[in-house]
Amino acid sequence: MTTTSSAPGKVYLFGEHAVVYGEPAVPCAIERRAHVTVSEREDSRLRVCSGDLSIDGFTVEYSGDRDAGGTPDVDVPAPIVDAAMGYVDAAVEQARAAADAPTAGFDVTIDSEIPLGAGLGSSAAVVVAGIDAATRELGVELDAREVADRAYQVEHTVQDGEASRADTFCSAMGGVVRVSGDDCTTLDAPALPFVIGYDGTSHDTGELVAGVRALREEFGFVADTVTAIGDLVRRGEAALADGDVATLGRLMDINHGLLSGLGVSGRTLDAMVWAARDGGADGAKLTGAGGGGSIVALDAGSGAETALSLTPDCEAAFRADLAREGVRVE
Amino acid sequence: MTTTSSAPGKVYLFGEHAVVYGEPAVPCAIERRAHVTVSEREDSRLRVCSGDLSIDGFTVEYSGDRDAGGTPDVDVPAPIVDAAMGYVDAAVEQARAAADAPTAGFDVTIDSEIPLGAGLGSSAAVVVAGIDAATRELGVELDAREVADRAYQVEHTVQDGEASRADTFCSAMGGVVRVSGDDCTTLDAPALPFVIGYDGTSHDTGELVAGVRALREEFGFVADTVTAIGDLVRRGEAALADGDVATLGRLMDINHGLLSGLGVSGRTLDAMVWAARDGGADGAKLTGAGGGGSIVALDAGSGAETALSLTPDCEAAFRADLAREGVRVE
């Protein structure tokens, strides 16, 4: 048998970084999905094949502890393989536990539309889709919230306790999410015509979070800026409830400036943000940890995407509307 | 007889826009000066000649009310001439009043190293130097504070009551200034190796100030951001007293981000700020009203200036160290 599940990536409409200090944040699922196809094997081995987990595809086959399994035959750097395999390993482990099938083996194929390391939640989407597909393959159908919770456990383990519940909850549930501490809820929202620009780089989230922490401890006005972002998010929730996309865009612009004040923007991010605005977007901001990576704009027309595609610092520009649906079997 | 006085332009180290709401700001005089040469005439006419008041030079000669004086023979647009002549007119009027010589006539030559409309205080410098030169030419030597005060009256009149005391005080007194409302004082400061980038455009200060006002009235967190800038300025005063240039640079970076949050940065300003930082500056921010115009960086080396000169959006990049001396006779 074969089971394919998919789950969406995400952008932050508002509130990244401030969420670390108890302020609310609003991640949104986007119509860029990771597809994970799982076939139960006769044995207990795990074979993982991916065309898109990184720039080059790779295939890894091993059984049990991969550190003891010799060098996999792959054409990507070992750290990337280790990182990716850590997620797949732990996701399969969650599926085995959920289905009470501790020795189940799988062929796993990952096919993701979400650039890896772009701050668009690719790992969460792979984990969410992987748990869903593997449990279904074992005859167990989990509630989306349980998939979210198990996917969070995976990220928590793989990321050494540094994970947020937001990414996995958003990918599993879809739509617009409000996260505050460990508390995640979905919000009513209008259609959100997201456009994304990606500069082709990835940055160390831990370092960026630590940088904000140090700045916040040194300067009281940086702590106040974190609070200001929280207030902005609360205003944004009202705009979401009103379906007021124009105000959402203006708040995104301000949120980007306040994130710049926290020191987490970057040359390429600012260039992409201005390209999107000049292209006619209602607003634009960096999304995720910052430094480099991705920006998100709101634009129902084609101007922002065109402007981004003409921006030298933008490696990929694409539309990715709000995804109403989270994890699903295909 | 002929008298030449010069006065420096300025940059804002910290606090523009927030100063409108009672927060302190810190303008600094820079080693880019406006030179005004004045010769008393036999008659009461006023003849103004400038090589640098705008991109093209112009010469205007008239007597009394220039609206009744026919069309001046100039090769620049009338609004620019009117604006420039308004300042010179009013400066001469102040000199006449200070010297109790209501019918004195002058040949005035303006030679400025400060780009016009770049947000670098060119008009204040011309007015300050003009008042100083014209009063000296009439045998009166004013204290720099009185020059500052009379120059402020000029800007207040010409700018329809919208002038700040900061520009004229800073140009007349030189050095690093703390302005809070109408209260201006000079601060002790280390050498400040400013580098300036100018994008060749000028923007409407009144519109930008009005935009911040509207945003601040609509969103409480924008008011909080204004307050955060004030707190940043107060921290910057301590760094100035400590001679801590590295901290000044970091505060400039944060100040730029908070100004972005107020909606007053722009594509070219962000591009120049990043060029300066990537070139090795201790910090960089927009200076003045924003939208477009100039950025200021701190860099004792040559990296920021080089990086700016290679930036397509930067029309002019130059070093302009802190000017300790304000208005002076040459």
Side-chain angles (χ1 to χ4, degrees), chain B:
Chain B
M1 208 176 91
T2 290
T3 308
T4 300
S5 294
S6 77
K10 64 102 196 24
V11 292
Y12 271 92
L13 185 60
F14 304 121
E16 54 271 88
H17 283 288
V19 73
V20 174
Y21 304 98
E23 300 295 345
V26 181
C28 300
I30 55 172
E31 277 304 349
R32 283 265 156 165
R33 305 180 78 88
H35 297 256
V36 178
T37 300
V38 169
S39 298
E40 195 179 359
R41 291 172 63 102
E42 298 297 314
D43 57 24
S44 64
R45 292 174 68 88
L46 182 58
R47 186 176 186 279
V48 181
C49 173
S50 169
D52 287 293
L53 251 190
S54 71
I55 294 161
D56 301 305
F58 68 94
T59 304
V60 186
E61 182 171 350
Y62 66 95
S63 157
D65 178 29
R66 72 176 177 288
D67 292 333
T71 308
D73 174 25
V74 294
D75 57 1
V76 289
I80 292 182
V81 175
D82 282 350
M85 288 309 300
Y87 288 106
V88 177
D89 254 8
V92 165
E93 211 46 64
Q94 285 290 336
R96 285 171 174 148
D100 198 17
T103 60
F106 300 96
D107 288 333
V108 179
T109 304
I110 300 165
D111 187 9
S112 174
E113 306 158 357
I114 311 160
L116 191 78
L120 298 173
S122 60
S123 68
V126 166
V127 170
V128 165
I131 291 173
D132 191 71
T135 49
R136 285 174 189 274
E137 179 74 3
L138 295 172
V140 174
E141 203 169 313
L142 300 180
D143 170 74
R145 282 179 190 271
E146 188 174 347
V147 175
D149 190 60
R150 288 188 176 274
Y152 167 69
Q153 302 302 331
V154 168
E155 293 221 316
H156 186 77
T157 304
V158 177
Q159 297 172 13
D160 291 329
E162 287 293 322
S164 148
R165 281 187 180 272
D167 284 20
T168 43
F169 184 89
C170 186
S171 184
M173 304 299 289
V176 175
V177 170
R178 180 188 198 273
V179 54
S180 175
D182 277 350
D183 184 36
C184 297
T185 54
T186 53
L187 300 176
D188 288 339
L192 295 175
F194 292 125
V195 175
I196 290 166
Y198 172 44
D199 70 2
T201 73
S202 62
H203 285 249
D204 186 322
T205 299
E207 259 176 41
L208 287 153
V209 168
V212 173
R213 187 179 302 278
L215 212 58
R216 184 174 173 277
E217 280 166 11
E218 184 172 3
F219 299 123
F221 51 87
V222 171
D224 294 340
T225 299
V226 169
T227 307
I229 292 176
D231 292 338
L232 181 150
V233 177
R234 285 179 276 275
R235 180 67 187 77
E237 288 176 56
L240 279 166
D242 295 342
D244 183 353
V245 175
T247 295
L248 292 174
R250 294 167 60 219
L251 293 172
M252 288 169 75
D253 285 344
I254 300 173
N255 198 164
H256 181 78
L258 297 179
L259 286 165
S260 302
L262 300 185
V264 298
S265 191
R267 189 183 59 77
T268 54
L269 297 175
D270 280 357
M272 291 192 293
V273 157
W274 282 112
R277 292 172 185 160
D278 291 349
D282 288 305
K285 61 182 277 295
L286 69 86
T287 175
S294 299
I295 67 114
V296 57
L298 275 179
D299 185 19
S302 61
E305 187 182 351
T306 302
L308 282 166
S309 70
L310 296 171
T311 301
D313 290 314
C314 181
E315 185 173 295
F318 52 88
R319 177 166 294 289
D321 286 338
L322 175 65
R324 301 285 186 182
E325 222 181 338
V327 65
R328 71 182 178 215
V329 66
E330 296 286 332

Side-chain angles (χ1 to χ4, degrees), chain A residues 280-317:
Chain A
D282 288 305
K285 61 183 277 295
L286 70 84
T287 175
S294 299
I295 66 112
V296 57
L298 274 179
D299 185 17
S302 60
E305 187 182 351
T306 302
L308 283 166
S309 70
L310 295 172
T311 301
D313 290 314
C314 182
E315 187 174 295

Side-chain angles (χ1 to χ4, degrees), chain A residues 48 53 58 66 78-89 110 116 126 158:
Chain A
V48 182
L53 250 191
F58 68 93
R66 72 178 176 285
I80 291 182
V81 175
D82 283 350
M85 288 311 300
Y87 288 106
V88 176
D89 254 6
I110 300 164
L116 191 78
V126 166
V158 176

Side-chain angles (χ1 to χ4, degrees), chain A residues 183-228:
Chain A
D183 185 36
C184 297
T185 52
T186 52
L187 299 176
D188 288 337
L192 296 174
F194 292 126
V195 175
I196 289 166
Y198 171 46
D199 70 1
T201 74
S202 61
H203 285 249
D204 186 321
T205 300
E207 259 176 43
L208 287 153
V209 169
V212 173
R213 188 180 301 279
L215 212 59
R216 185 174 172 277
E217 279 166 10
E218 185 173 3
F219 300 123
F221 50 86
V222 171
D224 294 340
T225 300
V226 168
T227 307

